[in-house]
Amino acid sequence: AAPPAIAATAPAAAAAPPAANDTTHTRPGEVSATVKASPPVPHLFTRGDLLFWGGAAGATALAVFNDRWLTNEAITAENNPDQRHLAQAFQPLGNTAIVLPVAFGLYGVARLIHHPKLARRAVRTALAVTVSGGLALGAKEVFGRARPYERPGQSDYFKPFSHHDSFPSGHATTAFAAAVALDRETSSRWVPWLVYPAATLVGWSRVHDRKHWTSDVVAGAALGGWTAWKTEDFLAYRALGVPVQRTSLWLSPERGGVRVAVVRGLN
């Protein structure tokens, strides 16, 4: 009785239209077999990142050429007590030593009140800030730029590995990393209107107090925001179990130089 039943269902199965993105293999007189096409593997880094960094590099270069003028304007406004108080109020929001303990404190509170979603959000935010901060520290060492109060009027002073640490701004990096992470971790419409202006004021405060050139802040904002966005993407893919195409940069010291290798693979 079984063979006639299969034969009876064959025409109906063969006549059914294939689903979108499916591959259907049929032969006359046989039951059709539908094979689901594998979903595309998302890329963690795309051409859009190149466009972003091209724009960020252009904005940073434009700021470099105007750093001395922008710093002089900030010095002129330094005697304004209202601006001085505003700068002092927002600077802590870019301090990693303050932002990370707050994030981990929020994680502890979330665990105590049995709120796992809030705990995961706090951890992801802390990771985004940590990764961006680590990259900023490495960039500071590589570029070796003097701060405005160290070499006034010499915004073009770059001496790699000289322990000067002006470029990029660590406060701006942390502030914009936290802003992007909070924006990604929440769905409230008012959050972007709060976190991004606050991060901008953190960057402004560093120029106001002559701790950084304006281009330091621009570069730090780009680095922090981009790194936090990519970290959030990576953690989201990992949580969903989705493999992603990633690109790794390997540096291997060799006799007479350093070997650089770019490796692409799934993670």
Side-chain angles (χ1 to χ4, degrees):
I6 295 177
T9 59
N21 297 326
D22 292 350
T23 303
T24 304
H25 304 283
T26 59
R27 292 181 181 177
E30 292 185 359
V31 179
S32 64
T34 300
V35 181
K36 291 286 186 181
S38 299
V41 177
H43 290 261
L44 192 59
F45 303 105
T46 65
R47 292 180 181 178
D49 297 314
L50 294 178
L51 294 175
F52 172 83
W53 279 111
T60 302
L62 182 63
V64 167
F65 286 110
N66 293 278
D67 268 332
R68 278 180 286 185
W69 174 75
L70 292 169
T71 299
N72 290 334
E73 290 296 315
I75 293 173
T76 301
E78 194 173 9
N79 294 327
N80 187 314
D82 294 332
Q83 292 190 12
R84 185 167 61 251
H85 295 154
L86 185 65
Q88 293 172 350
F90 278 90
Q91 275 200 39
L93 299 180
N95 191 337
T96 307
I98 294 176
V99 174
L100 287 180
V102 169
F104 285 116
L106 184 61
Y107 168 80
V109 171
R111 291 296 300 270
L112 287 175
I113 63 177
H114 304 290
H115 199 309
K117 183 179 292 187
L118 179 60
R120 288 193 296 269
R121 289 176 174 175
V123 169
R124 288 194 294 263
T125 300
L127 285 173
V129 171
T130 300
V131 173
S132 62
L135 291 176
L137 288 175
K140 284 173 176 289
E141 187 67 19
V142 169
F143 285 98
R145 189 185 198 184
R147 294 177 182 265
Y149 66 83
E150 294 174 327
R151 289 182 175 267
Q154 297 185 28
S155 59
D156 56 349
Y157 183 89
F158 288 88
K159 189 175 182 180
F161 306 104
S162 61
H163 301 297
H164 290 295
D165 59 353
S166 187
F167 186 91
S169 167
H171 277 67
T173 301
T174 297
F176 277 90
V180 168
L182 291 172
D183 186 19
R184 291 286 299 271
E185 293 293 343
T186 57
S187 57
S188 300
R189 295 182 177 180
W190 56 268
V191 171
W193 296 96
L194 176 65
V195 294
Y196 292 115
T200 302
L201 284 172
V202 170
W204 165 81
S205 71
R206 302 300 284 169
V207 179
H208 176 273
D209 289 351
R210 287 186 287 176
K211 298 296 178 63
H212 281 288
W213 305 98
T214 302
S215 55
D216 299 337
V217 171
V218 174
L223 177 63
W226 180 84
T227 305
W229 190 278
K230 292 300 175 180
T231 303
E232 287 280 342
D233 280 348
F234 179 77
L235 294 175
Y237 291 142
R238 289 293 297 270
L240 294 173
V242 177
V244 295
Q245 287 279 2
R246 62 182 179 85
T247 303
S248 300
L249 182 65
W250 294 87
L251 301 178
S252 177
E254 291 187 349
R255 181 178 297 177
V258 177
R259 181 182 180 184
V260 180
V262 178
V263 181
R264 299 195 67 181
L266 293 179
N267 191 14

